[in-house]
Amino acid sequence: MASLHCVLTMSSQNPLILCVIDGDMNIFSPALLKQGLQGGRQAAQELTKNIAEFLSQEEVQIFGRLSFWVTIYFNKRSLVNMLRDEGICAPDQLEAFMTGLSQASPRFLLVDVGPGKDGSDVKIKGVKARALICPWV
C-alpha cells in the first residue's frame, strides 16, 4: 500500500480518514478485474481490511467512532485501453468491476479525471493540500 495516501482529520471524538488512491498507477488484481461485479465487491472488502491494517501499523489512536472514505482517481479511457490491449480484462468486465467496487459501500468513490497525463496526481495533491489547510474537511 505504498501509494495509499491517508489524511486524518479530527472532528470532536470522531476522526475522519480520507484515503486517496492513484488508480492509474495502482491496478487491482487481474483475477478480481475478470470477475466483474463480484470482483469489485471483493476488492472493496480487501481494501477495507488493508486500510485497517495500515492504520493499525501506523498506530493511529482512535477514540470514539472511526470513519474513513476511499477515493480512487483514474483516467477511465486510458485504463480501459491498457487493460484491453494487455489482455487483462474486457471493457465490460472493468465496468462491472467498478460498479461492484463503488456499490460495495457508500464510502468508496471512483472518480474519472478524464484525459491527461497527470490528472490523478493533481487531484490527489489537491485533496492532501485541502485537508492540511482545512482540517475539518
Side-chain angles (χ1 to χ4, degrees):
M1 281 238 171
S3 297
L4 173 69
H5 304 278
C6 290
V7 179
L8 176 65
T9 63
M10 300 300 282
S11 169
S12 176
Q13 293 294 318
N14 299 320
L16 171 63
I17 298 175
L18 305 174
C19 300
V20 291
I21 299 172
D22 183 338
D24 294 331
M25 300 299 295
N26 300 286
I27 309 298
F28 285 92
S29 132
L32 291 176
L33 290 167
K34 288 178 182 176
Q35 290 178 34
L37 190 71
Q38 191 56 38
R41 291 180 179 150
Q42 185 177 342
Q45 290 174 349
E46 290 178 15
L47 194 52
T48 299
K49 179 183 169 203
N50 289 336
I51 290 169
E53 288 173 2
F54 173 81
L55 294 173
S56 132
Q57 291 171 358
E58 294 295 312
E59 298 179 6
V60 174
Q61 299 297 318
I62 305 300
F63 304 101
R65 190 175 147 215
L66 167 68
S67 178
F68 71 85
W69 291 80
V70 177
T71 304
I72 302 172
Y73 294 100
F74 62 98
N75 175 335
K76 187 174 181 181
R77 182 184 303 160
S78 261
L79 190 59
V80 165
N81 291 339
M82 185 273 296
L83 294 173
R84 183 196 61 229
D85 293 349
E86 293 189 17
I88 294 173
C89 73
D92 61 324
Q93 290 172 311
L94 178 62
E95 189 67 37
F97 175 87
M98 290 178 170
T99 299
L101 180 61
S102 68
Q103 290 180 353
S105 170
R107 69 177 174 238
F108 284 91
L109 307 170
L110 296 141
V111 179
D112 179 4
V113 299
K117 182 180 175 199
D118 297 323
S120 296
D121 191 46
V122 169
K123 293 289 187 184
I124 290 169
K125 286 178 182 175
V127 169
K128 289 168 54 177
R130 181 171 181 216
L132 293 174
I133 293 168
C134 306
W136 59 87
V137 173

